[in-house]
């Protein structure tokens, strides 16, 4: 018989339980960008996942109450940027509500399909949105990769225990 966790510590499902469990799950950090009606929008995501190799597809979650949701809800294309450990401040900027995400501190350029592409990231892709799946107060966006560049510098940035961290060997 193997040892298990203390079942007496189990708690009923709640938003706080979900947050507490996922604080223990290290996740890669990405920034999702799109072209909005009033300019570029973007947010930090830790929900990025590969969906399919053929065709190449990915997914990410976005809150329907976020300032980026209207552009993601109606736009055809998104930029997906894998952040490096040298980009903690960039991750924090895109995670902070009300921040000037595309201000002077953010180096970016308009990329293919008009999508904002961040500079100096380890990898980026431009994708076409193919589905938006309702999931509680979020939507799971499924997108097909059109093009990208995986040759940038840097080791991956991770999110764990409520903080951005570098990968340790």
């Amino acid at each position: 018989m193997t040892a298990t966790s203390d079942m007496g510590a189990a708690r009923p499902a709640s938003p706080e339980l979900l947050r507490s469990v996922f604080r223990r799950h290290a996740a890669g950090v990405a920034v999702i960008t799109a072209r909005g009606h009033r300019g570029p929008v973007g947010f930090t995501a830790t929900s990025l996942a590969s969906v399919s190799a053929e065709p190449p597809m990915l997914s990410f979650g976005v809150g329907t109450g976020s300032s980026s949701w209207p552009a993601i809800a109606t736009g055809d294309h998104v930029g997906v940027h894998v952040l490096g450990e040298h980009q903690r401040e960039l991750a924090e900027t895109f995670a902070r509500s009300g921040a000037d995400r595309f201000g002077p501190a953010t180096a970016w350029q308009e990329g293919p399909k008009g999508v904002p592409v961040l500079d100096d990231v380890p990898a980026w892709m431009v994708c076409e949105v193919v589905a938006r799946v309702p999931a509680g107060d979020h939507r799971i966006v499924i997108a097909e990769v059109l093009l990208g560049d995986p040759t940038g510098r840097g080791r991956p940035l991770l999110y764990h225990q409520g903080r951005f961290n570098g990968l340790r060997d």
Side-chain angles (χ1 to χ4, degrees):
M1 182 177 229
T2 59
T4 61
S5 62
D6 179 9
M7 295 300 284
R11 300 184 308 199
S14 69
E16 183 50 38
L17 172 66
L18 186 69
R19 287 185 201 98
S20 294
V21 169
F22 273 90
R23 279 187 199 107
R24 295 180 170 268
H25 173 72
V29 180
V31 166
I32 310 299
T33 61
R35 182 174 49 189
H37 294 297
R38 296 185 186 153
V41 299
F43 64 96
T44 299
T46 57
S47 59
L48 182 64
S50 172
V51 171
S52 168
E54 193 57 48
M57 298 176 88
L58 56 81
S59 70
F60 59 87
V62 56
T64 56
S66 77
S67 61
S68 298
W69 171 241
I72 304 290
T74 60
D76 294 330
H77 298 91
V78 293
V80 177
H81 308 82
V82 174
L83 298 191
E85 63 185 3
H86 63 287
Q87 296 176 305
R88 286 184 177 119
E89 287 183 25
L90 184 65
E92 290 167 353
T93 297
F94 276 83
R96 193 170 41 253
S97 180
D100 186 4
R101 296 175 179 155
F102 289 91
T106 303
W108 67 281
Q109 55 192 301
E110 185 173 314
K113 306 293 184 183
V115 171
V117 175
L118 302 176
D119 292 346
D120 196 33
V121 294
W124 61 268
M125 297 172 282
V126 170
C127 307
E128 182 176 4
V129 175
V130 297
R132 297 168 187 89
V133 181
D137 62 355
H138 278 61
R139 295 296 181 267
I140 305 303
V141 177
I142 301 172
E144 185 172 345
V145 178
L146 301 178
L147 65 124
D149 182 358
T151 63
R153 71 174 182 87
R155 292 168 48 92
L157 181 63
L158 300 178
Y159 187 73
H160 182 249
Q161 294 287 28
R163 294 188 323 264
F164 295 109
N165 299 286
L167 181 66
R168 295 192 234 353
D169 292 326

